[in-house]
Amino acid sequence: MTKRISLHICTKDRSSELLALLHSVRAQTYTNFDVMILDDASQTPLFGNHKFLHDVLARLQIEGHGVCILRNDVSFGVCKARQRLIDEDLWKDNPYV
């Protein structure tokens, strides 16, 4: 049995790159993971009109992965964004981040 991991992804104004990353993650042979994404005050929030992104996230959920999207209304930078993901990890019982 493989150990479950949490993938923490911080992004700001990079929806295309995030979409490519999520496609790549889905293609990996290691499939025991959950995904947390933090939108660090993007000008166009990830909750907005990103249909392809929402489709990939829905597909991840159908495949049994936990998916969570958080948003900062004000950008605090990547270090604080990463710390927020660690602090608010929904799957703290996952042994690896």
Side-chain angles (χ1 to χ4, degrees):
M1 182 171 154
T2 57
K3 297 193 181 204
R4 194 148 187 101
I5 63 171
S6 293
L7 298 175
H8 291 177
I9 303 165
C10 302
T11 186
K12 181 177 179 177
D13 297 319
R14 301 277 185 244
S15 57
S16 321
E17 291 84 350
L18 178 60
L19 183 60
L21 170 69
L22 292 173
H23 277 297
S24 177
V25 165
R26 284 191 62 226
Q28 298 299 309
T29 56
Y30 193 90
T31 59
N32 199 10
F33 62 86
D34 300 308
V35 178
M36 286 191 72
I37 300 168
L38 183 114
D39 177 0
D40 195 28
S42 293
Q43 289 183 3
T44 304
L46 293 178
F47 297 108
N49 298 321
H50 297 287
K51 181 183 178 343
F52 296 117
L53 180 58
H54 288 283
D55 290 347
V56 172
L57 293 172
R59 188 71 198 148
L60 282 166
Q61 288 178 313
I62 289 168
E63 293 168 352
H65 306 288
V67 174
C68 175
I69 299 177
L70 302 173
R71 176 168 167 77
N72 285 339
D73 292 326
V74 176
S75 178
F76 295 109
V78 71
C79 290
K80 286 190 178 184
R82 288 179 183 150
Q83 187 61 51
R84 180 175 177 199
L85 285 170
I86 292 168
D87 292 343
E88 297 187 30
D89 192 334
L90 298 177
W91 305 282
K92 291 191 185 287
D93 56 326
N94 289 354
Y96 300 102
V97 175

